mmCIF file of all heavy atoms in Angstrom:
data_model
loop_
_atom_site.group_PDB
_atom_site.id
_atom_site.type_symbol
_atom_site.label_atom_id
_atom_site.label_comp_id
_atom_site.label_asym_id
_atom_site.label_seq_id
_atom_site.Cartn_x
_atom_site.Cartn_y
_atom_site.Cartn_z
ATOM 1 N N GLY A 170 127.205 202.805 78.768
ATOM 2 C CA GLY A 170 127.469 201.968 79.928
ATOM 3 C C GLY A 170 128.058 200.624 79.516
ATOM 4 O O GLY A 170 127.891 200.225 78.350
ATOM 5 N N SER A 171 128.732 199.954 80.493
ATOM 6 C CA SER A 171 129.284 198.649 80.126
ATOM 7 C C SER A 171 128.209 197.604 80.123
ATOM 8 O O SER A 171 127.109 197.776 80.674
ATOM 9 C CB SER A 171 130.326 198.279 81.192
ATOM 10 O OG SER A 171 129.737 197.992 82.371
ATOM 11 N N ALA A 172 128.536 196.447 79.431
ATOM 12 C CA ALA A 172 127.629 195.330 79.421
ATOM 13 C C ALA A 172 127.287 194.875 80.858
ATOM 14 O O ALA A 172 126.144 194.515 81.169
ATOM 15 C CB ALA A 172 128.206 194.184 78.605
ATOM 16 N N THR A 173 128.273 194.866 81.751
ATOM 17 C CA THR A 173 128.072 194.519 83.169
ATOM 18 C C THR A 173 127.145 195.460 83.847
ATOM 19 O O THR A 173 126.253 194.980 84.598
ATOM 20 C CB THR A 173 129.453 194.436 83.890
ATOM 21 O OG1 THR A 173 130.251 193.487 83.205
ATOM 22 C CG2 THR A 173 129.275 194.018 85.348
ATOM 23 N N GLN A 174 127.308 196.729 83.591
ATOM 24 C CA GLN A 174 126.359 197.687 84.222
ATOM 25 C C GLN A 174 124.911 197.461 83.783
ATOM 26 O O GLN A 174 124.055 197.560 84.576
ATOM 27 C CB GLN A 174 126.830 199.125 83.924
ATOM 28 C CG GLN A 174 128.090 199.529 84.638
ATOM 29 C CD GLN A 174 128.609 200.883 84.086
ATOM 30 O OE1 GLN A 174 128.587 201.182 82.854
ATOM 31 N NE2 GLN A 174 129.017 201.774 85.037
ATOM 32 N N VAL A 175 124.796 197.253 82.492
ATOM 33 C CA VAL A 175 123.397 197.044 81.930
ATOM 34 C C VAL A 175 122.793 195.767 82.502
ATOM 35 O O VAL A 175 121.642 195.784 82.959
ATOM 36 C CB VAL A 175 123.453 197.050 80.404
ATOM 37 C CG1 VAL A 175 122.067 196.697 79.831
ATOM 38 C CG2 VAL A 175 123.947 198.356 79.803
ATOM 39 N N ALA A 176 123.587 194.705 82.524
ATOM 40 C CA ALA A 176 123.089 193.395 83.115
ATOM 41 C C ALA A 176 122.710 193.544 84.543
ATOM 42 O O ALA A 176 121.654 193.055 85.001
ATOM 43 C CB ALA A 176 124.143 192.311 82.900
ATOM 44 N N ASP A 177 123.544 194.204 85.270
ATOM 45 C CA ASP A 177 123.235 194.359 86.768
ATOM 46 C C ASP A 177 121.935 195.206 86.962
ATOM 47 O O ASP A 177 121.161 194.880 87.829
ATOM 48 C CB ASP A 177 124.461 195.050 87.465
ATOM 49 C CG ASP A 177 125.641 194.138 87.650
ATOM 50 O OD1 ASP A 177 125.496 192.942 87.420
ATOM 51 O OD2 ASP A 177 126.664 194.643 87.938
ATOM 52 N N PHE A 178 121.787 196.220 86.119
ATOM 53 C CA PHE A 178 120.563 197.075 86.184
ATOM 54 C C PHE A 178 119.317 196.214 85.952
ATOM 55 O O PHE A 178 118.367 196.234 86.721
ATOM 56 C CB PHE A 178 120.641 198.132 85.076
ATOM 57 C CG PHE A 178 119.285 198.897 84.916
ATOM 58 C CD1 PHE A 178 118.965 199.907 85.787
ATOM 59 C CD2 PHE A 178 118.474 198.580 83.865
ATOM 60 C CE1 PHE A 178 117.787 200.660 85.624
ATOM 61 C CE2 PHE A 178 117.272 199.231 83.695
ATOM 62 C CZ PHE A 178 116.953 200.249 84.541
ATOM 63 N N TYR A 179 119.344 195.324 84.884
ATOM 64 C CA TYR A 179 118.176 194.523 84.594
ATOM 65 C C TYR A 179 117.936 193.393 85.608
ATOM 66 O O TYR A 179 116.786 193.139 86.029
ATOM 67 C CB TYR A 179 118.239 193.951 83.170
ATOM 68 C CG TYR A 179 117.850 194.981 82.176
ATOM 69 C CD1 TYR A 179 118.787 195.707 81.483
ATOM 70 C CD2 TYR A 179 116.481 195.337 82.051
ATOM 71 C CE1 TYR A 179 118.400 196.743 80.630
ATOM 72 C CE2 TYR A 179 116.092 196.348 81.163
ATOM 73 C CZ TYR A 179 117.054 197.070 80.495
ATOM 74 O OH TYR A 179 116.655 198.070 79.692
ATOM 75 N N LYS A 180 118.969 192.884 86.157
ATOM 76 C CA LYS A 180 118.804 191.848 87.197
ATOM 77 C C LYS A 180 118.066 192.461 88.394
ATOM 78 O O LYS A 180 117.159 191.844 88.959
ATOM 79 C CB LYS A 180 120.154 191.241 87.651
ATOM 80 C CG LYS A 180 120.768 190.312 86.606
ATOM 81 C CD LYS A 180 122.156 189.945 86.980
ATOM 82 C CE LYS A 180 122.874 189.143 85.919
ATOM 83 N NZ LYS A 180 124.248 188.807 86.264
ATOM 84 N N THR A 181 118.493 193.600 88.765
ATOM 85 C CA THR A 181 117.875 194.373 89.950
ATOM 86 C C THR A 181 116.471 194.786 89.622
ATOM 87 O O THR A 181 115.511 194.567 90.345
ATOM 88 C CB THR A 181 118.782 195.540 90.355
ATOM 89 O OG1 THR A 181 120.000 195.033 90.747
ATOM 90 C CG2 THR A 181 118.172 196.252 91.552
ATOM 91 N N GLU A 182 116.307 195.554 88.552
ATOM 92 C CA GLU A 182 115.066 196.192 88.235
ATOM 93 C C GLU A 182 113.945 195.208 87.893
ATOM 94 O O GLU A 182 112.803 195.401 88.264
ATOM 95 C CB GLU A 182 115.230 197.216 87.095
ATOM 96 C CG GLU A 182 116.031 198.452 87.515
ATOM 97 C CD GLU A 182 115.339 199.248 88.638
ATOM 98 O OE1 GLU A 182 114.135 199.400 88.625
ATOM 99 O OE2 GLU A 182 116.103 199.606 89.613
ATOM 100 N N MET A 183 114.270 194.183 87.175
ATOM 101 C CA MET A 183 113.274 193.166 86.826
ATOM 102 C C MET A 183 112.810 192.401 88.137
ATOM 103 O O MET A 183 111.619 192.115 88.232
ATOM 104 C CB MET A 183 113.748 192.244 85.701
ATOM 105 C CG MET A 183 114.005 192.904 84.365
ATOM 106 S SD MET A 183 112.582 193.793 83.723
ATOM 107 C CE MET A 183 111.636 192.434 82.990
ATOM 108 N N ALA A 184 113.737 192.125 88.985
ATOM 109 C CA ALA A 184 113.363 191.447 90.246
ATOM 110 C C ALA A 184 112.470 192.369 91.073
ATOM 111 O O ALA A 184 111.510 191.927 91.606
ATOM 112 C CB ALA A 184 114.607 191.042 91.047
ATOM 113 N N ASN A 185 112.772 193.681 91.075
ATOM 114 C CA ASN A 185 111.916 194.639 91.786
ATOM 115 C C ASN A 185 110.541 194.710 91.217
ATOM 116 O O ASN A 185 109.593 195.083 91.954
ATOM 117 C CB ASN A 185 112.565 196.073 91.767
ATOM 118 C CG ASN A 185 113.767 196.161 92.538
ATOM 119 O OD1 ASN A 185 114.098 195.300 93.470
ATOM 120 N ND2 ASN A 185 114.606 197.187 92.368
ATOM 121 N N ARG A 186 110.313 194.382 89.972
ATOM 122 C CA ARG A 186 109.014 194.406 89.366
ATOM 123 C C ARG A 186 108.318 193.017 89.335
ATOM 124 O O ARG A 186 107.362 192.869 88.725
ATOM 125 C CB ARG A 186 109.215 194.849 87.915
ATOM 126 C CG ARG A 186 109.488 196.359 87.810
ATOM 127 C CD ARG A 186 109.870 196.768 86.415
ATOM 128 N NE ARG A 186 109.885 198.252 86.238
ATOM 129 C CZ ARG A 186 110.846 199.054 86.758
ATOM 130 N NH1 ARG A 186 111.823 198.567 87.526
ATOM 131 N NH2 ARG A 186 110.803 200.370 86.584
ATOM 132 N N GLY A 187 108.942 192.076 90.105
ATOM 133 C CA GLY A 187 108.296 190.809 90.338
ATOM 134 C C GLY A 187 108.630 189.718 89.277
ATOM 135 O O GLY A 187 107.993 188.708 89.251
ATOM 136 N N TYR A 188 109.520 189.975 88.409
ATOM 137 C CA TYR A 188 109.972 188.965 87.413
ATOM 138 C C TYR A 188 110.895 188.000 88.040
ATOM 139 O O TYR A 188 111.772 188.376 88.878
ATOM 140 C CB TYR A 188 110.604 189.656 86.223
ATOM 141 C CG TYR A 188 109.675 190.376 85.297
ATOM 142 C CD1 TYR A 188 109.207 191.631 85.546
ATOM 143 C CD2 TYR A 188 109.197 189.751 84.096
ATOM 144 C CE1 TYR A 188 108.359 192.253 84.663
ATOM 145 C CE2 TYR A 188 108.360 190.397 83.279
ATOM 146 C CZ TYR A 188 107.898 191.630 83.508
ATOM 147 O OH TYR A 188 107.064 192.263 82.620
ATOM 148 N N GLN A 189 110.775 186.713 87.540
ATOM 149 C CA GLN A 189 111.690 185.626 87.970
ATOM 150 C C GLN A 189 112.765 185.515 86.879
ATOM 151 O O GLN A 189 112.418 185.428 85.742
ATOM 152 C CB GLN A 189 111.009 184.340 88.132
ATOM 153 C CG GLN A 189 109.938 184.397 89.239
ATOM 154 C CD GLN A 189 110.531 184.612 90.644
ATOM 155 O OE1 GLN A 189 111.545 184.009 90.986
ATOM 156 N NE2 GLN A 189 109.963 185.561 91.390
ATOM 157 N N ALA A 190 114.039 185.517 87.315
ATOM 158 C CA ALA A 190 115.157 185.363 86.312
ATOM 159 C C ALA A 190 115.439 183.904 86.074
ATOM 160 O O ALA A 190 115.478 183.068 87.006
ATOM 161 C CB ALA A 190 116.358 186.096 86.852
ATOM 162 N N SER A 191 115.689 183.577 84.817
ATOM 163 C CA SER A 191 116.191 182.237 84.483
ATOM 164 C C SER A 191 117.724 182.339 84.431
ATOM 165 O O SER A 191 118.331 183.387 84.539
ATOM 166 C CB SER A 191 115.698 181.869 83.035
ATOM 167 O OG SER A 191 114.314 181.771 83.069
ATOM 168 N N THR A 192 118.347 181.202 84.346
ATOM 169 C CA THR A 192 119.838 181.107 84.287
ATOM 170 C C THR A 192 120.298 181.910 83.082
ATOM 171 O O THR A 192 119.863 181.595 81.872
ATOM 172 C CB THR A 192 120.332 179.691 84.201
ATOM 173 O OG1 THR A 192 119.834 178.968 85.253
ATOM 174 C CG2 THR A 192 121.870 179.658 84.212
ATOM 175 N N PRO A 193 121.180 182.948 83.163
ATOM 176 C CA PRO A 193 121.633 183.667 82.055
ATOM 177 C C PRO A 193 122.592 182.870 81.156
ATOM 178 O O PRO A 193 123.229 181.960 81.608
ATOM 179 C CB PRO A 193 122.411 184.825 82.698
ATOM 180 C CG PRO A 193 122.669 184.491 84.114
ATOM 181 C CD PRO A 193 121.691 183.407 84.463
ATOM 182 N N VAL A 194 122.558 183.201 79.922
ATOM 183 C CA VAL A 194 123.514 182.625 78.926
ATOM 184 C C VAL A 194 124.587 183.627 78.747
ATOM 185 O O VAL A 194 124.282 184.802 78.292
ATOM 186 C CB VAL A 194 122.815 182.314 77.544
ATOM 187 C CG1 VAL A 194 123.830 181.814 76.545
ATOM 188 C CG2 VAL A 194 121.656 181.409 77.745
ATOM 189 N N GLN A 195 125.809 183.312 79.131
ATOM 190 C CA GLN A 195 126.863 184.323 79.198
ATOM 191 C C GLN A 195 128.154 183.798 78.431
ATOM 192 O O GLN A 195 128.506 182.674 78.495
ATOM 193 C CB GLN A 195 127.220 184.628 80.677
ATOM 194 C CG GLN A 195 128.181 185.762 80.759
ATOM 195 C CD GLN A 195 128.110 186.437 82.148
ATOM 196 O OE1 GLN A 195 127.332 186.017 82.962
ATOM 197 N NE2 GLN A 195 128.908 187.403 82.395
ATOM 198 N N GLN A 196 128.765 184.783 77.736
ATOM 199 C CA GLN A 196 130.010 184.556 77.100
ATOM 200 C C GLN A 196 130.852 185.830 77.338
ATOM 201 O O GLN A 196 130.657 186.828 76.704
ATOM 202 C CB GLN A 196 129.820 184.322 75.575
ATOM 203 C CG GLN A 196 131.046 184.077 74.772
ATOM 204 C CD GLN A 196 131.668 182.731 75.124
ATOM 205 O OE1 GLN A 196 130.977 181.794 75.335
ATOM 206 N NE2 GLN A 196 133.012 182.639 75.086
ATOM 207 N N GLY A 197 131.770 185.680 78.301
ATOM 208 C CA GLY A 197 132.579 186.903 78.706
ATOM 209 C C GLY A 197 131.627 187.877 79.347
ATOM 210 O O GLY A 197 130.822 187.495 80.173
ATOM 211 N N SER A 198 131.697 189.147 78.906
ATOM 212 C CA SER A 198 130.743 190.159 79.462
ATOM 213 C C SER A 198 129.423 190.254 78.713
ATOM 214 O O SER A 198 128.551 190.918 79.119
ATOM 215 C CB SER A 198 131.453 191.526 79.453
ATOM 216 O OG SER A 198 131.653 191.914 78.096
ATOM 217 N N ASP A 199 129.307 189.523 77.583
ATOM 218 C CA ASP A 199 128.082 189.490 76.803
ATOM 219 C C ASP A 199 127.152 188.451 77.420
ATOM 220 O O ASP A 199 127.547 187.374 77.821
ATOM 221 C CB ASP A 199 128.379 189.099 75.340
ATOM 222 C CG ASP A 199 129.337 190.116 74.714
ATOM 223 O OD1 ASP A 199 129.467 191.240 75.196
ATOM 224 O OD2 ASP A 199 129.878 189.800 73.645
ATOM 225 N N VAL A 200 125.776 188.836 77.460
ATOM 226 C CA VAL A 200 124.895 187.986 78.253
ATOM 227 C C VAL A 200 123.485 188.113 77.642
ATOM 228 O O VAL A 200 123.126 189.148 77.091
ATOM 229 C CB VAL A 200 124.923 188.325 79.692
ATOM 230 C CG1 VAL A 200 124.433 189.772 79.923
ATOM 231 C CG2 VAL A 200 124.160 187.363 80.556
ATOM 232 N N VAL A 201 122.700 187.029 77.741
ATOM 233 C CA VAL A 201 121.278 187.044 77.408
ATOM 234 C C VAL A 201 120.581 186.702 78.711
ATOM 235 O O VAL A 201 120.787 185.624 79.269
ATOM 236 C CB VAL A 201 120.900 186.076 76.283
ATOM 237 C CG1 VAL A 201 119.404 186.116 76.057
ATOM 238 C CG2 VAL A 201 121.640 186.400 74.998
#
Side-chain angles (χ1 to χ4, degrees):
S171 71
T173 301
Q174 290 171 316
V175 176
D177 289 346
F178 170 82
Y179 280 100
K180 289 174 185 175
T181 300
E182 290 300 316
M183 295 303 280
N185 289 344
R186 287 170 169 72
Y188 283 83
Q189 298 296 314
S191 298
T192 303
V194 176
Q195 190 158 356
Q196 180 72 35
S198 64
D199 300 342
V200 64
V201 177

